[in-house]
Amino acid sequence: MSELNRRDFLLRGGALGCSLAASPLLTPVSFASTPGENRLVVIILRGAMDGLDAVRPYGDPQFADYRPRLMASLAEDTDLDGFFALHPALGGLMPLWRAGELGFAQAVSTPYRDKRSHFDGQDLLEAGTGQDVELPRDGWLNRLLQALPNATSETAFAVGREDLKLLSGAAPISSWSPDARLDMSPQARLLLEQVYHEDPLFRDTGLDAMALADSLGVASDDSFGLSKRDMRAQANLSAQAGEAEVLAQFAAKRLNASARIAAFSLSGWDTHRAQERGITRALQKLESAILTLKSELGPHWNTTAIVAMTEFGRTVRENGTRGTDHGTGGALVMAGGAIRGRKIYGEWPGLAEAQLYARRDLMPTGDVRAYPAWLMNGMFDLDVNTLETQVFPGLYMGQNPRILT
């Protein structure tokens, strides 16, 4: 069977029950291999994470006045430095903070201003350009690969819904997502294994996909005596609960092999209403992803840097529905054994009304792009000029914040 026919079999094989979104262009997880032992994980937090809730500036005298209800769950055991405290849902990361493997940057943003559209904000975040620059077709992580000598792609595949523009571009990358239901009968699975038996590229990754789908609760039609509708409902619940952990497990597996760069996205950060409930779920997913990466990477954790970024922050004041609206300045999360943690990076602008952006948002004092740029500088030996002109066109990286150990 030809290579094209093999791909058609995977991507168009409706008899196997695969998602119609099984396309390499629609995926929330991607990998690439590069020389060296350093590992970079980029997590896109879709929906605009409220950085003022995730990393709370409780030491600012105005903060409690702006958020009387959202402040109610402040926990003493998540205090970071006497001024900032973690949201209780991130309490499981406190051991990383104490070990110097967790850090944050506050009051950061992309150059995006005022329109506050999720779509435009995410496009700009993943393109890595300034607001007034025509968006390129490729993403900044793909441009990193184009700038690295001897970078190669890792064999993988995609079975997912999302378009991760961060990695789109000329450099070859490989993709995978567990976000599809592989409702295969035993006969269909046997057929798939037989077709790809002599092709290790598709055989091994296909078996991985089926095993991981099973771990999310997906089974054949007659398993456990459940109807197909019941099994799909059960699988959906399992997938939602374990999405972050499964993504991180698979990323760690590739990073423990030949991959050196991984990227995926986590959604659920748009908290206009009932923020306490919504952001708690989202932060728990982020915590799960980070802790799973630490557990699964083993000794490779020491050479790993994780950076979690969002398109923009949220308003300083809570609204009338116990939520927050689209804002400007926000927070960046960094973790890993390669990170110089136990520090809040960036310049805090203050929360007095005159210090706010447009008298409503946290004033950005730093460019969020500078942090991954300095990670690339230290981890992959890319010079500042290349980073400022090719990877992040128009970026001024400023003084090195020394975020690596």
Side-chain angles (χ1 to χ4, degrees), residues 304-325:
T304 296
I306 302 166
V307 58
M309 312 165 67
T310 195
E311 62 261 36
F312 44 73
R314 306 191 75 83
T315 51
V316 171
R317 294 178 179 85
E318 64 181 58
N319 60 29
T321 57
R322 295 177 178 265
T324 53
D325 300 315

Side-chain angles (χ1 to χ4, degrees), residues 65-189:
D65 294 335
Y66 288 127
R67 298 182 168 210
R69 291 174 290 186
L70 293 180
M71 276 285 289
S73 59
L74 190 66
E76 292 183 6
D77 59 356
T78 58
D79 180 75
L80 298 175
D81 61 0
F83 188 90
F84 291 101
L86 279 185
H87 188 287
L90 292 178
L93 298 182
M94 286 303 295
L96 300 187
W97 173 265
R98 290 189 285 268
E101 298 176 345
L102 179 70
F104 305 91
Q106 267 286 15
V108 294
S109 73
T110 70
Y112 187 62
R113 295 291 183 274
D114 300 327
K115 296 180 181 180
R116 301 183 177 89
S117 159
H118 288 302
F119 301 105
D120 293 343
Q122 289 175 22
D123 283 349
L124 198 70
L125 174 67
E126 297 190 65
T129 68
Q131 184 171 10
D132 298 326
V133 178
E134 183 178 356
L135 294 183
R137 294 181 179 273
D138 53 2
W140 57 263
L141 203 49
N142 191 278
R143 293 196 295 273
L144 162 67
L145 297 176
Q146 295 175 43
L148 287 175
N150 303 318
T152 62
S153 65
E154 176 185 300
T155 298
F157 65 94
V159 189
R161 291 192 306 234
E162 294 189 52
D163 181 1
L164 196 64
K165 297 179 181 178
L166 180 72
L167 268 155
S168 63
I173 57 97
S174 47
S175 311
W176 175 86
S177 171
D179 209 9
R181 292 184 296 270
L182 298 178
D183 295 338
M184 296 185 186
S185 67
Q187 293 84 358
R189 290 187 181 225

Side-chain angles (χ1 to χ4, degrees), residues 232-256:
R232 286 184 171 176
Q234 183 184 70
N236 284 336
L237 289 174
S238 299
Q240 291 170 13
E243 173 196 12
E245 181 178 354
V246 171
L247 294 179
Q249 284 176 341
F250 195 83
K253 180 177 180 179
R254 295 305 182 205
L255 292 167
N256 282 332

